[in-house]
Structure formats: C-alpha cells, structure tokens
Amino acid sequence: MNSSFSTERPVPAKCVTGPRDVALLMTLEPRPKFQAALTSYARTTRMNVITLTDHRHYALAQRFSRLVIGCHVAAYGGVTSHATLTSLVRLLAIAYIGRAGEPARQRMALIDEINEEIDLFD
C-alpha cells in the first residue's frame, strides 16, 4: 500500500463502508495497477460500483460495476483528456445533493471531518 495513505491512528469507525455506499470509479487509459484490488474491495464490502469510462473499456467495466456510464473522451496529441469525466462527476454530485438534501450535506460534512482528521489536504 502507498505510504501516503497510511496513518498512525486507526481508521475511524465512521469510515466503514457497506451496501448503501457507492464507489465512483473513473477509469481511462492507462489503467492503474491497483484498479483490480479496488474493485475487489468494493465487492467484499458490498459497495455498489459506478464506473465512468470511455467506450473502449465499457464492456470490461460491466464485469465489476453495478452501472457503467460510457463517455466520449478526447485524446489530444495522444494524451487522454479527463475533462468529460470531471464534468460528469460534478453533474452527478449536484444532482445527488439536490435529490438527497440534508442527508447529502451531512455526509459531505462527515467527509470533510475525515479529510481533516487524516490531514489529507494543505
């Protein structure tokens, strides 16, 4: 495991995931080596996996995802652009917050607390 993700303190109980949680996986070429381990962990915890990917990876993503959203992705100069996936994530977040209301805002506050507790950001 990458040492940048480890902490000296145990993971707080509020970090536990389960069948009502969703792992949002954005995957484009080149695919990271840890992707299989990540999707395996999600399956173990019964988390739902929603994968945002390009159309070339769509069929493979269906093997480990509850839902696959295929996106048209541009590759300028041989470098894949993540702009489409980033925009889609923002739209999904806005739609979810609008639909879920207060529980979504409480969950966002909890995520902020966790990020602060593990000192994730500057």
Side-chain angles (χ1 to χ4, degrees):
M1 178 174 263
N2 186 336
S3 62
S4 65
F5 291 109
S6 64
T7 63
E8 295 175 9
R9 296 170 286 191
V11 176
K14 58 189 169 188
C15 294
V16 175
T17 58
R20 295 186 60 192
D21 291 311
V22 172
L24 189 59
L25 177 63
M26 298 188 324
T27 178
L28 295 174
E29 295 290 342
R31 310 224 189 277
K33 291 180 182 180
F34 63 83
Q35 180 175 312
L38 185 68
T39 56
S40 176
Y41 173 77
R43 201 171 23 254
T44 300
T45 61
R46 299 182 331 202
M47 244 192 302
N48 295 295
V49 176
I50 297 175
T51 302
L52 312 177
T53 190
D54 57 334
H55 292 286
R56 293 180 300 169
H57 189 63
Y58 191 92
L60 179 61
Q62 286 180 315
R63 292 185 8 209
F64 56 80
S65 304
R66 172 99 177 192
L67 173 66
V68 180
I69 301 174
C71 300
H72 294 284
V73 177
Y76 301 106
V79 178
T80 305
S81 171
H82 289 72
T84 303
L85 298 185
T86 303
S87 296
L88 184 56
V89 168
R90 184 175 187 283
L91 290 172
L92 287 171
I94 290 168
Y96 177 75
I97 292 167
R99 183 174 177 118
E102 188 57 30
R105 285 186 278 284
Q106 289 173 355
R107 183 66 177 228
M108 287 172 41
L110 177 63
I111 291 169
D112 286 342
E113 288 176 23
I114 292 168
N115 286 337
E116 185 175 323
E117 187 171 328
I118 63 175
D119 197 24
L120 187 59
F121 299 107
D122 287 334

